[in-house]
Amino acid sequence: MKKLLAALILVMLNWACSQQSTRPAAVAFHNVNAKYNAIFQADRLLISLTNKVREEKKENFSNALPILAPIDTSFSQSYAKEIANLVRKATLVIDRHQNSRFVDDAYLIIGRGRLLQHDLTNALETFKYINSIEHDPKTQQSALIELATIYLYQADYPSAQKVFNFIAENPMNANQEQHLLLVQAFAYQKQNAIAKSIPLLEKAAPRVKNRAERGRLFYILGQMHQELGQTAAARKAYEQCLKQKSSYSLTLHAQIAILSLTENIPGLEKLVKDPKNQDLQSDIFLAIGQIHFQHKDYELARKNWENGGTNNPNKGELYFQLGQLFSNQLKDYRNAANYFDSAATFLPSQHSQYQLAQKLRTQWGEFARLDGSIQLQDSLLKLGQRSESDLKAMYEKIQKSKKAKKDSVQLTIASSSNVSLATFTRRPSTPEQQSFYFYNDQARVQGQQEFSTKWGIRTLEDFWNRKNKQAAVLTDAPLMPSNVAQTNMVGESAQTQDSLQIWLNSIPRTEKQQADIQKKREKALFDLGKYAKLELAKNDLATNSLTHLLGDYPLTSFEAEALYLLYLSSDKPKTYRQLLFDKYPNSYFKQAILTLEFGGLTEGKELEAQKNYEKAFAQFKSGDFTACIAQADLLLQSFPGSKWEDKIVFLKAQSYGGLKDFDRYKKELKQFEQAYPKSQLIPEVKALLEKFTQNNR
């Protein structure tokens, strides 16, 4: 009987605790278990993760801070287990307490967990689902606010606005009102409507309970006012940020902002000297450089920005600014190319300037290649003018200098191995120097010496390790001065002679060799001038290169196009226009100038050009090539810029082929390729040139 009674009680308890039951006892049981077990633990874990997001957030104070910063993917990876545990705990409510009133709260926590995982797609679906189930309206409002935030992250502004409209139809509590104000301010910020964002942010910022987050929002307010030129309001906002006494980094940047607004360079320099700011000196130098830049003192701006590059985690942005400074204000294009290359290397892929930096790296990399080619040809030509004895003396001097440097490094390495750890001191290496071989001078020079000890001094060429090199290969030995002293002198002499001869052979000494170098230099000057104008839009660089071309090579084959490019880029266009018209009256580049000056043709003129083109084409078909050429020249003069122009020029080139004037035929086709790169006839022109080349090999 007792066993039967116990079984009956157990069945009744199970029935009462069923999550499908709607009886008050069952619902109360599951409400208590859901709230004070899974939901309680999940809430605590969510608060902990949210605080860690705030603490580990890496702010870039040189740019405008976003009101709502997206979760960094690195955070999602670092705390993957904790976030998964958060989602698991919230899921328990759905699995085990379906009849409780905390199911929608569980889904809200799961959605926020998906946000922490940077899984926007599933987070979006979760918040949508919350609004499809009939539960607490306040939870639904919170889900809608989170939904709008995700749409803003995805730049889907119409969908976000629809959500805002829906939210406005339902009541909210104080926390939700404050959160909504921030999200709406963020929406205007994302759309660059700063003036509309400011009032919302001014209303929301004082309501934020967390002191660090409140200080951050006041700092953003200062940035917004500063962007609109509202200096007094910006300073007031920065001062409010200082009053919050949040993180030291934020407080320091607020101080920097206030001193920058007043252009107080002595105050900024005082901050640089403060030992507490050693890790943030780069940002202070950036601010000082910006003040000098605004006053057009570009050299001081450069100096401070270069100082700001030391140990700067945002060096990619700094290098980008320096690249712009060197290319636009200082006109130092070689340094500009180097800085744009560094900017593309160090800027993170999610940065707003990343794509532009990659493009500029490619553009200025081509400039560096062309400029380097000109420098190389100039150096070779200068060396080619010197006698063999001078060259040998120069080579020996260079080798002695290299050997002295290597011996010095060897002595340093040998001495350091005999110095006790207690007395050995050196400047601490940066993380880059510790991890990257080429930043470590000692390791790099040691590697160079080990290579030259084994292989000798070799030029960079294919098959550098071929057997007929007269280098004496030494056994691997500890890098010590005593071992260097025991080097085989015969082998060393052979190495020196062999390397000297290779170097001498690379210098153009005969007339033919020097003519080849001059030809390369001529083309490089033209290519650089053309590239500077058409790709870099640097008129001064183009003018300098092209005037050097015409001055050094008065008979250059590039003269017509060079004059056209100078007409476009020089501050004396009429001079080059007249030269082009006088020397090349039938040039395509003359037609291009006329097109620029007179613009497009009227419909009537186009019809007239078409009729005359058909006349020239009939002459070509009948074999009257001379008359066709004359008609084509008349058309080009009479109808500059016609939509038939490329066809007329192509017909003229074909006519020279019909006359068997193959040199002129080839020249006309090549000029067509240069003048009309977007013409539909380009594939046919290239095919004709290729066929012509094959037939004349």
Side-chain angles (χ1 to χ4, degrees):
M1 185 64 183
K2 290 182 178 180
K3 291 183 178 180
L4 182 61
L5 184 60
L8 182 61
I9 293 172
L10 183 62
V11 169
M12 290 179 67
L13 283 173
N14 287 334
W15 175 72
C17 297
S18 171
Q19 59 177 327
Q20 280 76 36
S21 174
T22 58
R23 293 173 66 85
V27 172
F29 172 82
H30 286 286
N31 280 338
V32 170
N33 272 276
K35 180 176 181 180
Y36 295 104
N37 192 357
I39 292 291
F40 176 77
Q41 294 180 40
D43 269 335
R44 288 175 63 86
L45 190 52
L46 180 61
I47 292 170
S48 174
L49 286 168
T50 304
N51 288 335
K52 286 177 180 177
V53 168
R54 187 181 295 113
E55 291 167 4
E56 298 184 14
K57 188 185 299 177
K58 295 180 180 178
E59 302 282 16
N60 183 359
F61 292 95
S62 59
N63 283 346
L65 300 183
I67 295 172
L68 301 178
I71 303 298
D72 192 356
T73 53
S74 62
F75 180 87
S76 304
Q77 294 168 0
S78 301
Y79 292 93
K81 290 182 180 180
E82 290 85 346
I83 299 171
N85 191 32
L86 168 70
V87 174
R88 183 186 64 81
K89 287 182 180 297
T91 306
L92 289 176
V93 177
I94 302 166
D95 291 341
R96 301 179 183 180
H97 308 289
Q98 291 182 8
N99 59 349
S100 76
R101 62 184 180 86
F102 295 101
V103 171
D104 51 353
D105 296 87
Y107 277 115
L108 186 63
I109 292 172
I110 290 171
R112 287 169 173 167
R114 298 300 183 203
L115 276 178
L116 291 173
Q117 289 174 328
H118 209 265
D119 185 359
L120 299 185
T121 303
N122 282 319
L124 196 71
E125 294 302 320
T126 304
F127 293 130
K128 284 182 179 179
Y129 179 74
I130 293 172
N131 285 276
S132 69
I133 56 179
E134 295 182 3
H135 279 286
D136 186 3
K138 292 181 180 178
T139 305
Q140 290 179 323
Q141 286 289 74
S142 295
L144 286 170
I145 294 171
E146 298 287 6
L147 189 63
T149 306
I150 296 176
Y151 282 133
L152 293 176
Y153 286 150
Q154 297 175 335
D156 186 355
Y157 303 119
S159 296
Q161 187 57 51
K162 289 178 182 178
V163 177
F164 287 143
N165 294 338
F166 192 75
I167 292 172
E169 297 174 1
N170 299 286
M172 293 177 288
N173 59 33
N175 288 335
Q176 289 171 336
E177 287 178 1
Q178 177 257 319
H179 190 186
L180 180 61
L181 284 170
L182 289 178
V183 175
Q184 289 175 326
F186 178 57
Y188 286 124
Q189 184 190 37
K190 286 273 288 182
Q191 297 173 80
N192 294 319
I194 305 300
K196 293 182 179 180
S197 180
I198 287 175
L200 297 171
L201 191 56
E202 286 179 335
K203 192 175 179 180
R207 299 186 186 183
V208 175
K209 295 179 181 179
N210 184 277
R211 186 173 61 183
E213 188 62 24
R214 192 165 61 245
R216 180 179 180 275
L217 293 175
F218 278 121
Y219 184 86
I220 295 171
L221 261 176
Q223 287 185 317
M224 288 182 172
H225 283 300
Q226 189 172 352
E227 186 176 345
L228 296 179
Q230 299 167 354
T231 306
R235 181 169 183 175
K236 183 179 178 181
Y238 288 133
E239 288 172 350
Q240 285 290 329
C241 175
L242 288 176
K243 290 178 182 178
Q244 308 310 313
K245 297 181 179 179
S246 52
S247 69
Y248 183 76
S249 176
L250 182 62
T251 302
L252 176 63
H253 282 93
Q255 288 179 310
I256 294 171
I258 292 170
L259 292 171
S260 297
L261 284 173
T262 57
E263 297 185 352
N264 188 347
I265 292 179
L268 289 168
E269 290 175 342
K270 186 177 179 181
L271 289 179
V272 171
K273 296 174 183 177
D274 192 335
K276 292 185 296 183
N277 302 331
Q278 187 170 5
D279 293 338
L280 296 169
Q281 281 183 349
S282 57
D283 292 344
I284 306 172
F285 279 122
L286 280 176
I288 297 172
Q290 191 63 39
I291 294 172
H292 287 303
F293 182 83
Q294 290 169 355
H295 286 279
K296 298 184 178 181
D297 195 341
Y298 300 125
E299 277 300 325
L300 280 175
R302 176 194 62 78
K303 181 180 177 182
N304 281 281
W305 282 349
E306 287 178 346
N307 287 336
T310 307
N311 297 327
N312 189 344
N314 300 318
K315 63 175 64 179
E317 292 176 9
L318 176 60
Y319 290 153
F320 188 82
Q321 286 184 347
L322 281 166
Q324 298 282 20
L325 174 66
F326 277 105
S327 66
N328 297 328
Q329 281 80 28
L330 297 180
K331 308 293 183 183
D332 185 346
Y333 299 118
R334 291 172 186 170
N335 270 323
N338 293 332
Y339 277 116
F340 282 131
D341 181 71
S342 297
T345 301
F346 288 102
L347 273 177
S349 58
Q350 66 271 19
H351 195 278
S352 59
Q353 299 289 356
Y354 178 78
Q355 294 298 333
L356 178 58
Q358 301 303 316
K359 180 182 177 182
L360 290 171
R361 167 197 255 176
T362 303
Q363 289 181 335
W364 286 95
E366 179 63 14
F367 158 79
R369 185 188 69 79
L370 293 169
D371 183 61
S373 175
I374 295 170
Q375 291 184 72
L376 175 62
Q377 313 313 327
D378 286 342
S379 299
L380 289 172
L381 289 170
K382 287 179 181 178
L383 289 172
Q385 302 300 318
R386 306 189 69 163
S387 65
E388 186 170 337
S389 59
D390 285 347
L391 291 173
K392 287 181 178 180
M394 182 187 299
Y395 182 83
E396 289 173 1
K397 183 178 180 180
I398 293 170
Q399 294 307 309
K400 286 179 181 178
S401 175
K402 287 183 177 180
K403 187 176 183 301
K405 183 178 179 181
K406 290 176 183 177
D407 289 345
S408 174
V409 172
Q410 287 175 350
L411 185 60
T412 302
I413 296 170
S415 300
S416 65
S417 64
N418 296 321
V419 176
S420 66
L421 291 174
T423 58
F424 179 78
T425 58
R426 64 177 181 180
R427 180 179 297 174
S429 299
T430 66
E432 289 170 339
Q433 290 173 325
Q434 293 171 1
S435 60
F436 190 45
Y437 170 79
F438 290 100
Y439 285 158
N440 190 326
D441 288 337
Q442 186 170 304
R444 182 167 49 79
V445 174
Q446 182 175 340
Q448 288 174 345
Q449 179 157 17
E450 288 175 352
F451 177 88
S452 60
T453 300
K454 185 173 182 179
W455 298 102
I457 299 173
R458 302 295 178 96
T459 57
L460 184 61
E461 59 184 354
D462 290 340
F463 309 112
W464 57 268
N465 57 343
R466 61 190 186 274
K467 291 182 179 179
N468 61 359
K469 290 286 186 182
Q470 300 297 320
V473 180
L474 302 181
T475 58
D476 294 334
L479 192 60
M480 297 289 289
S482 58
N483 293 320
V484 175
Q486 296 168 6
T487 301
N488 189 314
M489 300 303 294
V490 176
E492 187 175 305
S493 176
Q495 290 176 26
T496 304
Q497 291 298 321
D498 184 56
S499 301
L500 172 61
Q501 194 58 47
I502 292 171
W503 186 65
L504 290 173
N505 292 341
S506 68
I507 297 171
R509 301 185 56 76
T510 66
E511 289 185 6
K512 183 180 182 307
Q513 288 174 334
Q514 291 186 357
D516 290 341
I517 294 295
Q518 290 284 8
K519 201 70 179 174
K520 291 179 182 178
R521 182 176 181 272
E522 176 188 350
K523 188 173 187 313
L525 279 169
F526 170 74
D527 288 343
L528 179 58
K530 184 176 181 179
Y531 191 80
K533 174 58 187 174
L534 301 183
E535 297 296 330
L536 300 178
K538 297 296 180 185
N539 289 338
D540 58 327
L541 180 59
T543 302
N544 182 58
S545 183
L546 293 169
T547 50
H548 271 86
L549 169 72
L550 298 179
D552 295 348
Y553 305 98
L555 301 178
T556 178
S557 60
F558 302 112
E559 185 177 26
E561 190 170 0
L563 289 170
Y564 170 68
L565 291 168
L566 283 166
Y567 165 82
L568 296 176
S569 55
S570 172
D571 55 358
K572 299 177 181 178
K574 291 182 179 179
T575 303
Y576 297 109
R577 180 187 187 278
Q578 192 61 46
L579 280 172
L580 179 61
F581 280 34
D582 291 345
K583 297 185 73 172
Y584 301 94
N586 298 321
S587 168
Y588 311 127
F589 303 107
K590 176 184 175 182
Q591 303 304 320
I593 291 176
L594 291 173
T595 301
L596 287 172
E597 292 177 348
F598 295 104
L601 300 178
T602 63
E603 187 176 351
K605 285 286 186 181
E606 286 288 2
L607 287 172
E608 190 178 346
Q610 180 182 355
K611 290 178 182 178
N612 281 277
Y613 168 73
E614 290 171 354
K615 180 180 177 181
F617 186 76
Q619 292 170 334
F620 176 80
K621 291 289 285 184
S622 65
D624 192 354
F625 302 119
T626 304
C628 180
I629 291 171
Q631 180 68 14
D633 284 335
L634 181 62
L635 276 168
L636 293 172
Q637 292 283 348
S638 305
F639 305 99
S642 166
K643 64 182 181 181
W644 299 91
E645 189 172 274
D646 60 333
K647 296 180 178 64
I648 297 168
V649 173
F650 182 68
L651 189 64
K652 181 180 175 183
Q654 290 285 71
S655 297
Y656 280 111
L659 293 173
K660 300 190 185 304
D661 186 351
F662 295 119
D663 288 340
R664 186 65 184 270
Y665 171 68
K666 180 182 178 182
K667 181 180 179 182
E668 293 283 332
L669 288 176
K670 283 191 171 182
Q671 288 184 345
F672 180 96
E673 196 175 19
Q674 291 177 344
Y676 306 100
K678 296 182 180 180
S679 171
Q680 294 180 352
L681 297 170
I682 281 292
E684 189 174 350
V685 170
K686 289 184 176 180
L688 289 172
L689 281 170
E690 186 177 353
K691 184 178 179 181
F692 179 84
T693 304
Q694 290 175 351
N695 293 337
N696 290 274
R697 282 179 178 173

